[in-house]
């Protein structure tokens, strides 16, 4: 069986628990759509392995939370390391500043 979509509305407290969750997600290579509705902060940059190694991932949806500029930068770095082309990236309802949008788009 394959997990085609994974969605999170919240994350565990504490860096260690978030790291374990990200490590578990990174082991799954069948996720095609990832929806995150909570700000991971600097943990976004630790998702680079997942973004890099999951060739089936085509859709990213980050919405419904205030994404900080630091998080936008971490997300941009993680996505940039992946060298992967995405069909759809949504940042709807994320209250991004123009500076943060530029960071992710570049």
């Amino acid at each position: 069986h394959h997990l085609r979509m994974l969605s999170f509305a919240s994350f565990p407290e504490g860096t260690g628990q978030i790291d374990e969750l990200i490590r578990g997600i990174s082991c799954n290579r069948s996720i095609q759509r990832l929806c995150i509705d909570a700000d991971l902060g600097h943990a976004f940059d630790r998702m680079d392995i997942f973004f890099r190694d999951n060739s089936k991932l085509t859709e990213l949806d980050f919405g419904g939370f205030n994404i900080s500029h630091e998080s936008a930068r971490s997300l941009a770095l993680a996505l940039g390391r992946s060298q992967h082309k995405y069909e759809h990236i949504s940042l709807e309802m994320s209250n991004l500043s123009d500076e943060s949008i530029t960071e992710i788009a570049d």
Side-chain angles (χ1 to χ4, degrees), residues 2-6 28 30-34 56-57:
H2 298 285
L3 180 63
R4 300 200 189 280
M5 182 181 136
L6 183 61
N28 189 309
S30 65
I31 298 172
Q32 296 172 344
R33 182 175 182 204
L34 179 64
K56 294 189 183 288
L57 186 65

Side-chain angles (χ1 to χ4, degrees), residues 7 14 19 46 50 81 106:
S7 181
D19 285 343
R46 291 192 295 276
F50 171 72
R81 289 185 204 116
D106 287 342

Side-chain angles (χ1 to χ4, degrees), residues 44-100:
F44 275 123
D45 61 4
R46 291 192 295 276
M47 291 190 71
D48 63 345
I49 294 169
F50 171 72
F51 293 137
R52 182 192 67 212
D53 293 346
N54 188 337
S55 62
K56 294 189 183 288
L57 186 65
T58 58
E59 295 183 45
L60 299 170
D61 184 354
F62 303 99
F65 63 94
N66 294 326
I67 188 167
S68 67
H69 182 70
E70 289 177 9
S71 293
R73 178 171 287 154
S74 293
L75 176 59
L77 289 172
L79 291 174
R81 289 185 204 116
S82 73
Q83 302 296 316
H84 187 68
K85 303 294 182 204
Y86 300 97
E87 293 176 14
H88 176 82
I89 296 177
S90 174
L91 297 160
E92 196 170 328
M93 306 274 301
S94 293
N95 299 324
L96 285 166
S97 67
D98 289 343
E99 184 181 19
S100 293

Side-chain angles (χ1 to χ4, degrees), residues 20-38:
E20 287 298 317
L21 177 64
I22 291 171
R23 196 173 359 264
I25 292 169
S26 295
C27 292
N28 189 309
R29 304 289 189 261
S30 65
I31 298 172
Q32 296 172 344
R33 182 175 182 204
L34 179 64
C35 303
I36 297 179
D37 294 332

